[in-house]
Amino acid sequence: MSTANDTKRKAPAGERVADWADGRLGIYTLAKSNMRKIFPDHWSFMLGEICLYSFLIIILTGVYLTLFFHPSMNEVVYHGSYVPMQGVRMTEAYASTLDISFDVRGGLLIRQIHHWAAVIFLAGMFVHMMRVFFTGAFRKPREINWLFGFLLFVLGMFTGFTGYSLPDDLLSGTGVRFTQGAILSMPIVGTYLSMFIFGGEFPGHDMVARFYSIHILLLPGIMLGLVVAHLILVFYHKHTQFAGPGRTNKNVVGMPFMPVYMAKAGGFFFLVFGVIAAIAGMFTINPVWALGPYRPDHVSTGAQPDWYMGFAEGLVRAMPGWEITVWGHTFVLGVLLPLVLFGVMLAAIAAYPFIESWITGDKREHHILDRPRNAPTRTALGVAWITGYMIMLIGGGNDIVATYFHLSINAVTWFVRIFFFVGPVLAFIITKRICLGLQRRDRDKVLHGRETGIIKRLPHGEFVEVHEPLSQAHLHALTAHEQYAPAEIGPTVDENGVERKPTAKEKLRSKLSKGYYGEGNQIPKATVEEYKEISAGHGHH
């Protein structure tokens, strides 16, 4: 006769470990509530996964690189295996980077993977945020998650900056020198900040060590916390989904987290890792050995920032070198104003979910995504911002553009100055007209069906094109979006007959709301009556 203890001894080792952990951590309850969570399936949702997997690759390769890198600005004479640099005086940071590249087994490949993963992480973040913006996925209850994603992107920019500054090569040193100039442009506090960051007059002796601590400890720690918080909120709020049959704001249609989604996600991780490794193996990035060590009296030819910092530098390069003196303090407007504008634009991006919620007055939860065409003003704003970003990216590398296209650098600079104001306006107008045109086409498609290309001659001689009725699923996707009425100021006379003067805030909200949802800013959806009349045969071919 077997006892309970005999039964327990016969249980597989994995099950016993799981039981032990459940008794202390409650993993069964946690798994039961989350492992079967449903995730919708759409190709654009992979953008966030690319960011997550790139971040993991950055952490893994970064840990390996820290084993061999020496974050010191002490000067040494190089006697390593890279012959062209032998006998050259350089910092330990630069010498250890050369050792990683030429003497550590697999060191150069890991360096390349680390740098390419950082570039792809930020590019993925940029595109992922645009997907969230254009589809309205930032609306309640996801405003906080939008802020988390925004902070991840901004911190990623500064993590990348501190990272490519660590080798202390001529290109990165030139970039740090530019940053130090921007810091010095800050009134009153600029000099003190520069002395604090660099430990004295630029470049000081502590810059690499301080950037190293920030790069491997402070910023990644904050970003890791934000990534975890971001994923927790994705689980808590449930995933957004595009409109379709059976999909509402109260459910999610898709596949369970375990085992389907986890299997796909695991395979996608190795696919991302493989692609980044292949890129790193085929395309050189940041060849510090070709640039030489940094010296304050040298400037790298063709120095330009990474793409994610190009916008800020483009603003500075395009701005005239204005200066004013107030109360004995010199304000370098040529640097200060672009940096203030850059900060204002970042703040506007962070606050946009709250701005749109205030304009619409919509406080409901949204789990169904918009099609960009159905929010023409928002979509046009996004395209206008991207246009301005790309124009300033050209400004950030104006010398490179002038060299490769055999243009005058002054002509490139004036193009950037003019089109920074003209380009976004043109992009806004064109994008909005395209969105409204697509809305009209959707309305016609709902009422008349899909064009088949088949021409039929009627008995009285008229030629018409045969239209095929849309499926219910297709009709639902084309008509599921909401259309807001613009906010009104309201009665200016109260119930007692006393005239009330509208506040400036009410007037602003009404004007912005009309700009979003007023006449000419959205095409009315086909009504049920119109659809029934057309589908009954009156005017339908």
Side-chain angles (χ1 to χ4, degrees):
M1 182 175 179
S2 62
T3 63
N5 289 335
D6 293 332
T7 304
K8 190 172 183 179
R9 278 196 298 269
K10 293 177 182 177
E15 185 177 330
R16 294 200 303 272
V17 172
D19 288 338
W20 182 90
D22 179 61
R24 291 151 182 82
L25 303 174
I27 60 172
Y28 287 169
T29 304
L30 185 67
K32 185 177 181 181
S33 60
N34 291 300
M35 290 299 101
R36 299 297 292 175
K37 192 172 184 66
I38 301 299
F39 278 81
D41 192 18
H42 192 268
W43 68 266
S44 65
F45 299 152
M46 293 192 301
L47 297 170
E49 294 180 46
I50 291 174
C51 302
L52 176 62
Y53 301 152
S54 300
F55 183 70
L56 294 176
I57 293 167
I58 292 169
I59 297 295
L60 293 173
T61 53
V63 169
Y64 183 82
L65 293 174
T66 59
L67 302 176
F68 305 100
F69 181 73
H70 300 292
S72 171
M73 296 185 71
N74 294 330
E75 290 196 343
V76 296
V77 177
Y78 181 72
H79 295 291
S81 59
Y82 186 62
V83 176
M85 284 289 174
Q86 287 183 359
V88 175
R89 184 174 293 277
M90 59 185 66
T91 61
E92 288 188 32
Y94 187 78
S96 65
T97 305
L98 292 180
D99 290 339
I100 291 172
S101 302
F102 297 109
D103 297 310
V104 175
R105 186 180 296 274
L108 180 58
L109 178 62
I110 298 298
R111 267 197 67 227
Q112 298 268 114
I113 292 175
H114 187 74
H115 202 136
W116 275 115
V119 172
I120 291 172
F121 169 71
L122 283 159
M125 285 283 292
F126 185 87
V127 180
H128 178 60
M129 287 186 70
M130 289 300 100
R131 197 277 299 175
V132 171
F133 178 85
F134 286 124
T135 60
F138 54 78
R139 293 172 294 177
K140 184 182 178 180
R142 296 176 179 83
E143 302 98 329
I144 302 300
N145 231 7
W146 168 267
L147 290 177
F148 285 167
F150 168 79
L151 288 173
L152 276 168
F153 182 74
V154 173
L155 291 175
M157 291 168 56
F158 287 103
T159 307
F161 169 75
T162 55
Y164 69 64
S165 301
L166 291 180
D168 200 30
D169 60 282
L170 190 56
L171 179 60
S172 68
T174 303
V176 177
R177 182 62 161 173
F178 169 86
T179 304
Q180 193 246 358
I183 294 170
L184 287 176
S185 72
M186 297 180 185
I188 303 174
V189 300
T191 305
Y192 300 101
L193 279 176
S194 176
M195 297 290 281
F196 172 75
I197 292 172
F198 297 103
E201 291 289 346
F202 182 86
H205 298 285
D206 301 325
M207 180 187 72
V208 170
R210 293 183 179 188
F211 279 19
Y212 184 72
S213 299
I214 294 170
H215 179 72
I216 72 163
L217 186 62
L218 180 62
L219 293 180
I222 298 173
M223 292 177 68
L224 188 60
L226 287 172
V227 167
V228 172
H230 190 79
L231 295 177
I232 289 173
L233 285 181
V234 169
F235 262 81
Y236 177 71
H237 291 144
K238 70 189 179 185
H239 209 292
T240 53
Q241 56 187 343
F242 284 94
R247 299 176 182 178
T248 69
N249 278 314
K250 297 183 178 179
N251 70 352
V252 179
V253 178
M255 299 173 295
F257 183 70
M258 283 288 288
V260 180
Y261 187 81
M262 278 298 293
K264 292 177 65 176
F268 192 48
F269 168 76
F270 288 106
L271 180 63
V272 171
F273 205 151
V275 169
I276 292 176
I279 293 173
M282 291 186 290
F283 302 102
T284 301
I285 189 169
N286 198 24
V288 296
W289 55 87
L291 302 166
Y294 176 66
R295 283 182 52 181
D297 57 335
H298 288 182
V299 175
S300 174
T301 303
Q304 80 285 332
D306 275 340
W307 70 269
Y308 47 86
M309 299 297 287
F311 181 80
E313 183 157 336
L315 287 170
V316 175
R317 292 194 187 191
M319 180 75 184
W322 296 342
E323 291 184 2
I324 59 173
T325 302
V326 180
W327 298 320
H329 295 283
T330 300
F331 289 76
V332 186
L333 299 182
V335 179
L336 182 61
L337 283 183
L339 295 180
V340 170
L341 178 60
F342 183 58
V344 169
M345 295 187 73
L346 289 179
I349 294 171
Y352 184 83
F354 306 97
I355 296 172
E356 184 173 303
S357 175
W358 175 68
I359 292 172
T360 62
D362 187 0
K363 306 301 180 184
R364 299 168 299 163
E365 289 193 3
H366 291 274
H367 303 289
I368 300 294
L369 298 172
D370 287 335
R371 299 174 79 202
R373 67 185 65 179
N374 293 328
T377 302
R378 180 206 297 154
T379 302
L381 282 172
V383 174
W385 185 86
I386 293 173
T387 302
Y389 191 99
M390 294 304 170
I391 290 172
M392 279 302 139
L393 199 59
I394 295 173
N398 56 359
D399 53 340
I400 302 296
V401 173
T403 300
Y404 274 91
F405 293 96
H406 306 289
L407 301 171
S408 164
I409 192 169
N410 290 327
V412 176
T413 301
W414 275 105
F415 166 82
V416 171
R417 287 175 177 174
I418 294 170
F419 275 84
F420 177 67
F421 298 99
V422 176
V425 175
L426 291 176
F428 181 90
I429 295 171
I430 293 170
T431 302
K432 197 167 185 179
R433 289 181 65 86
I434 290 173
C435 289
L436 293 174
L438 291 172
Q439 284 190 38
R440 291 189 186 95
R441 191 186 71 171
D442 287 347
R443 175 183 166 86
D444 290 341
K445 196 180 291 186
V446 168
L447 294 176
H448 300 287
R450 185 180 64 85
E451 296 176 356
T452 62
I454 301 174
I455 305 299
K456 180 183 290 188
R457 184 177 182 182
L458 300 181
H460 59 275
E462 180 186 2
F463 289 91
V464 297
E465 183 179 13
V466 177
H467 285 232
E468 179 183 297
L470 300 180
S471 65
Q472 289 299 313
H474 200 175
L475 283 172
H476 181 84
L478 295 180
T479 58
H481 61 282
E482 297 183 55
Q483 292 192 313
Y484 295 92
E488 301 292 342
I489 292 179
T492 56
V493 179
D494 64 17
E495 63 274 8
N496 298 319
V498 179
E499 187 173 351
R500 179 184 67 87
K501 186 177 181 180
T503 64
K505 185 178 178 181
E506 288 177 315
K507 291 180 180 178
L508 177 63
R509 184 190 171 203
S510 176
K511 190 168 292 187
L512 290 174
S513 185
K514 287 178 182 177
Y516 268 70
Y517 308 113
E519 185 178 355
N521 290 290
Q522 55 184 353
I523 304 301
K525 292 193 296 184
T527 63
V528 176
E529 291 74 19
E530 287 176 320
Y531 178 75
K532 287 181 178 178
E533 181 181 355
I534 292 290
S535 60
H538 303 291
H540 183 68
H541 305 300

